[in-house]
Amino acid sequence: MLRIALPKGRLGDKVYGLFKSIGYECPDLEAGGRKLIFTDEKQRFCFMTVKPSDVPVFVERGAADIGVAGRDTILETNADIYELLDLKTGLCKMAVCGKPNALENKDRPLIVATKFPRIAEKYFQKLSRQIDIVKLQGSVELAAVVSLSDVIVDLVETGKTLEENGLVVLDAFLEISARLIANKSRYQFLSEEIGAIVESLSGVKV
Amino acid sequence: MELNLSELTLEERLPLVLKRLFRSYGYARFRMSKFEPYEMYQNNRDFIGSDSFISFTDGRGRLMALKPDVTLSIANALNGNQEKKVYYLESVFRKEHGEYREIYQAGVEHIGGTGADVEAEMVKLAVKALEETGKDFVLSVGDLGFLGGFKALKNLPPQKQKNALSLIGAKNRHELDAYLAEHGIAAADRAELSAAAFLSGGFDEVLALAKKLKIGEESAAALKRLGLLHSTLQKDGLTDRVRLDFSLTLDLSYYNGIVFQGYVAGCSGAVLSGGRYDNLMTKLGKRDCPAVGFALRLSDVFAAKGGETC
C-alpha cells in the first residue's frame, strides 16, 4: 500500500485534488473527520495529513513513501530524500524583510527573526554578515514591527501583510513551490508506481 | 552439542554467516583498535560524511577520536604493493540525526586487485550479504565514471560539480537543470546529462537504454565495464537482484568508477554502501592502488522490523 503524506491546510487540499485527478481518489479523506490516516477502499494507498513542516521528516524516516512539501521545509529540515517533481503550486518566495533601512547598520550583528534558522544562516553566511537568530514559531512579521529583530526571513506571497505593517521585501532570494518527495529506500522498492505518479502529475494542469 | 543456526536471533546469526561468507571468498579478518589519531579523520571528513566524531585527549595529550570509519584505517595500514582481501566486523561511532551513535558494521575491502572480476566479485558479495539478512532487499549500482564523462559535469569547478552531483543524487531533475543553466551549461549538454543521470531500473533494461544514448568516450568505457559486470552477474543468475541507477553518487574526490548501495525493507536509508575508491588511496599517498569495498550497517538491519523503520 502506497503511503502518501499531505500537508495540512490549503496546499494539502489542492494537492489532494491533483492526486484525485490522476486516479488516487479517496472518499474517506473527502469525508473529513478527526482521522489522521485515510485509506483507499481497495487498500491500494492511504493519505496521511501532516503538519506541513513535518512532511519531509515523515518521508525521510519512511513513515510515508512519498509526500508533498514546500521547498522551504525541505531546505530547512535538510531531509535526505528524493525530490522528484516541482508541482508548480503553493508558489511564494523566501525573503529578507523589514523596515526599509533595516540592513544599514553594519556595526553590530543583525538580529534576524525567523521560522527558518537554517535557511537564514545559509543566506547570511554567503554575505559574510554576522547575525543573531531569533527562532519564532509564527507571526514573524511582528518581530520586525516591534523591533524584536532588525529583519525577518519569511515566506512572502502577495506582500500585503508586510505592506500593511510598514515593512518591505529587502531581498527575495528563493523561489518556493510544492515538491513531490520520496523516501530513498522505499523508492527502490516502489519505483514503478512512483515513476508513474511523477509522469501523471507532470502532465496535470495545476 | 549441535548448534542449529536457526535457533539464533538475527543479531547472533548474521555476523557468523557473514564471516563464513567473506571467508569463503578468500577474505581474512582485519581487527583494529577503538581509537585513532583525530587528524586522519579530520583530513578525510568528506569520505566519512560526518562532521562530528567523538574525540578525546589521551594520556599523552594527543587528540584522538573514537573511530567513525574502518575503511580509512584499513587503507592507511595496508601496504599498497600487495593484493589484500580483508573483512571486518567493527563498531564505529558517529553523530547522526543529532545523536551520538554506535553503529555495528560488517565490511569488506579488496585492495590492490585489478580487473573486472574484482568488481563483479564485490557486487556478488554485496548481494549475498544482503540475502543473509533474510529480508526483502534491493542493490542499486551506479558508476561515477559514467556520470563524470558528461560535458555538463566535466567542465564544472569541483565545488559546483559536487553541488550538481548532490542534485543528481536527490533525483532532482528540475533543480539540476536550473543549476546547470545558471552556471552557463548549454541546453544540449544539460539534456544529454539528464537523459542519462536519471535512468534507473532493471540492470538489463537500463544497460540497453544507456547504450542507445549519445555519450562520450569516458562514459562509453564505463558502460563497457558495466557490461562485463552484467555478464558475470548473469552467469550466476543474479541480474534480477541488482538495479542500475545512475543517480547514485558518492564523493568524487574519493570514489571513482562503480558505486553501489543496498536497501532492506524496513530501513529508511541505505544499509549497504560501497564502491571503487582508488582516489582515496591516492589521497593517502598510495598511488595506482586500486581499491574496492563496501560496508553493511548491521545495527540498522537489526532495528528493521517488518513495516517499521530504523
Side-chain angles (χ1 to χ4, degrees), chain A residues 10 90-93 155-160:
Chain A
R10 244 186 323 150
L91 302 172
C92 54
K93 297 184 200 254
L155 294 175
V156 181
E157 215 175 336
T158 59
K160 267 220 207 108

Side-chain angles (χ1 to χ4, degrees), chain A residues 59-91:
Chain A
V59 173
E60 184 183 40
R61 294 260 185 167
D65 303 312
I66 60 173
V68 175
R71 188 182 180 208
D72 52 316
T73 60
I74 297 171
L75 289 174
E76 186 58 33
T77 54
N78 197 27
D80 186 19
I81 37 92
Y82 286 137
E83 193 179 311
L84 302 171
L85 186 64
D86 183 345
L87 295 170
K88 304 210 172 81
T89 186
L91 302 172

Side-chain angles (χ1 to χ4, degrees), chain B residues 131-151:
Chain B
E131 261 171 5
E132 296 287 6
T133 64
K135 301 177 193 288
D136 201 9
F137 72 89
V138 169
L139 182 72
S140 283
V141 172
D143 194 301
L144 294 176
F146 178 72
L147 283 182
F150 284 87
K151 265 216 234 130

Side-chain angles (χ1 to χ4, degrees), chain B residues 2-227:
Chain B
E2 286 289 311
L3 182 63
N4 198 333
L5 275 182
S6 58
E7 286 169 6
L8 302 176
T9 62
L10 184 65
E11 283 86 342
E12 293 161 336
R13 186 176 65 243
L14 194 51
L16 292 174
V17 298
L18 286 177
K19 270 198 252 192
R20 182 175 61 183
L21 172 66
F22 300 149
R23 280 209 295 260
S24 74
Y25 275 75
Y27 289 78
R29 186 146 185 197
F30 182 93
R31 285 187 187 273
M32 55 180 294
S33 58
K34 290 240 178 298
F35 7 103
E36 295 257 354
Y38 185 81
E39 220 179 296
M40 175 172 73
Y41 300 121
Q42 203 186 30
N43 294 340
N44 295 287
R45 261 204 170 94
D46 292 336
F47 180 77
I48 302 170
S50 163
D51 243 340
S52 298
F53 318 136
I54 302 174
S55 60
F56 59 94
T57 325
D58 73 357
R60 284 187 273 164
R62 294 181 304 169
L63 190 58
M64 308 288 277
L66 279 182
K67 66 183 192 290
D69 169 89
V70 180
T71 306
L72 261 183
S73 306
I74 293 178
N76 234 358
L78 292 187
N79 180 342
N81 301 327
Q82 283 180 307
E83 184 173 349
K84 271 273 171 96
K85 289 167 69 163
V86 296
Y87 76 87
Y88 61 87
L89 277 147
E90 301 277 347
S91 278
V92 294
F93 304 88
R94 299 195 203 180
K95 194 176 190 185
E96 288 182 354
H97 291 300
E99 299 270 330
Y100 284 109
R101 304 173 85 202
E102 177 175 1
I103 303 154
Y104 190 34
Q105 277 186 346
V108 284
E109 316 289 350
H110 187 154
I111 301 193
T114 51
D117 295 344
V118 170
E119 287 180 7
E121 181 179 271
M122 201 48 83
V123 172
K124 239 199 289 183
L125 255 187
V127 172
K128 288 185 184 262
L130 289 168
E131 261 171 5
E132 296 287 6
T133 64
K135 301 177 193 288
D136 201 9
F137 72 89
V138 169
L139 182 72
S140 283
V141 172
D143 194 301
L144 294 176
F146 178 72
L147 283 182
F150 284 87
K151 265 216 234 130
L153 282 178
K154 254 210 293 218
N155 302 327
L156 289 174
Q159 185 54 44
K160 307 230 169 3
Q161 214 177 53
K162 214 173 170 198
N163 295 339
L165 283 174
S166 194
L167 290 170
I168 292 176
K171 292 194 188 282
N172 198 335
R173 241 188 152 121
H174 56 273
E175 266 189 54
L176 172 72
D177 196 67
Y179 184 77
L180 293 175
E182 211 185 296
H183 290 94
I185 307 291
D189 295 335
R190 296 192 322 253
E192 233 177 70
L193 176 63
S194 268
F198 299 108
L199 275 182
S200 71
F203 208 130
D204 308 307
E205 170 201 337
V206 174
L207 196 58
L209 284 172
K211 286 189 180 146
K212 296 198 194 128
L213 293 173
K214 175 167 184 254
I215 56 178
E217 254 180 65
E218 265 176 73
S219 306
L223 273 191
K224 206 166 167 219
R225 272 199 313 265
L226 287 171

Side-chain angles (χ1 to χ4, degrees), chain B residues 9-15 18 104 133 135 264 267 271 297-305 310:
Chain B
T9 62
L10 184 65
E11 283 86 342
E12 293 161 336
R13 186 176 65 243
L14 194 51
L18 286 177
Y104 190 34
T133 64
K135 301 177 193 288
V264 142
C267 281
V271 296
R297 295 165 60 110
L298 296 177
S299 336
D300 288 356
V301 173
F302 299 152
K305 284 157 194 163
C310 324

Side-chain angles (χ1 to χ4, degrees), chain A residues 104-177:
Chain A
E104 278 165 23
N105 187 351
K106 303 213 172 146
D107 293 333
R108 57 166 175 77
L110 189 72
I111 307 176
V112 180
T114 184
K115 274 199 300 215
F116 306 97
R118 188 191 206 99
I119 292 177
E121 287 265 14
K122 219 172 164 198
Y123 171 80
F124 283 101
Q125 214 175 51
K126 281 204 198 124
L127 300 176
S128 298
R129 186 137 184 196
Q130 265 220 308
I131 55 172
D132 177 10
I133 297 224
V134 178
K135 183 166 190 336
L136 296 177
Q137 303 286 4
S139 299
V140 184
E141 298 93 342
L142 187 56
V145 174
V146 301
S147 298
L148 165 60
S149 67
D150 298 308
V151 296
I152 62 170
V153 169
D154 201 17
L155 294 175
V156 181
E157 215 175 336
T158 59
K160 267 220 207 108
T161 318
L162 292 174
E163 210 185 300
E164 282 181 32
N165 288 281
L167 304 174
V168 295
V169 170
L170 297 164
D171 186 12
F173 60 94
L174 282 178
E175 299 283 336
I176 305 292
S177 59

